[in-house]
């Protein structure tokens, strides 16, 4: 598993006055640094250390989001009134409920 494949993000933290690097697959890990590139480098190194420790202790290592397979399907429970509203809108537009919801999610 390549730690470079994890989902990293670096943003400015006004509160801290530094860049904060985060990684989606390890939500408890982050790294603050005044330099954006350094924040990412240091977090990547930390993730490598954590993954090595997890391997040593036999823990399950999170699979990078980019390497996961997605079916394109997921179930969402909504209130009956919203379901009715969406079904009505789909019928009025002459599209399936699935198409309507997919389009709305894509443009949200």
């Amino acid at each position: 598993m390549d730690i470079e494949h994890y989902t990293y993000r670096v943003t400015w933290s006004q509160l801290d006055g530094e860049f904060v690097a985060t990684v989606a697959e390890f939500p408890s890990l982050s790294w603050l640094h005044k330099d954006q590139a350094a924040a990412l480098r240091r977090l990547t190194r930390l993730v490598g250390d954590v993954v090595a420790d997890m391997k040593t202790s036999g823990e399950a290592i999170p699979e990078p989001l980019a390497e996961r397979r997605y079916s394109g399907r997921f179930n969402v429970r909504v209130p009956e009134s919203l379901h009715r509203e969406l079904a009505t809108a789909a019928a009025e537009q002459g599209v399936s409920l699935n198409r309507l919801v997919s389009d709305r999610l894509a443009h949200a």
Side-chain angles (χ1 to χ4, degrees):
M1 177 174 311
D2 189 342
I3 62 168
E4 302 283 326
H5 293 182
Y6 284 120
T7 310
Y8 296 95
R9 179 176 291 195
V10 181
T11 57
W12 176 255
S13 170
Q14 186 66 34
L15 179 65
D16 297 305
E18 295 182 301
F19 289 98
V20 59
T22 58
V23 56
E25 294 84 351
F26 294 89
S28 63
L29 299 181
S30 64
W31 198 279
L32 287 166
H33 201 282
K34 292 194 183 299
D35 178 74
Q36 188 176 21
L40 179 59
R41 266 194 320 275
R42 303 261 174 96
L43 178 61
T44 304
R45 191 175 313 141
L46 176 60
V47 168
D49 293 343
V50 168
V51 167
D53 288 345
M54 292 175 82
K55 282 181 185 176
T56 300
S57 66
E59 292 180 64
I61 299 167
E63 181 181 12
L65 292 172
E67 295 178 2
R68 295 180 191 173
R69 292 197 173 264
Y70 296 92
S71 68
R73 298 177 60 136
F74 64 95
N75 294 318
V76 179
R77 297 196 188 282
V78 296
E80 183 181 324
S81 60
L82 178 57
H83 190 170
R84 183 181 299 106
E85 178 186 326
L86 292 169
T88 301
E92 290 172 346
Q93 294 177 32
V95 298
S96 69
L97 178 59
N98 186 66
R99 177 62 182 256
L100 177 87
V101 172
S102 179
D103 287 347
R104 287 193 179 182
L105 286 171
H107 298 99

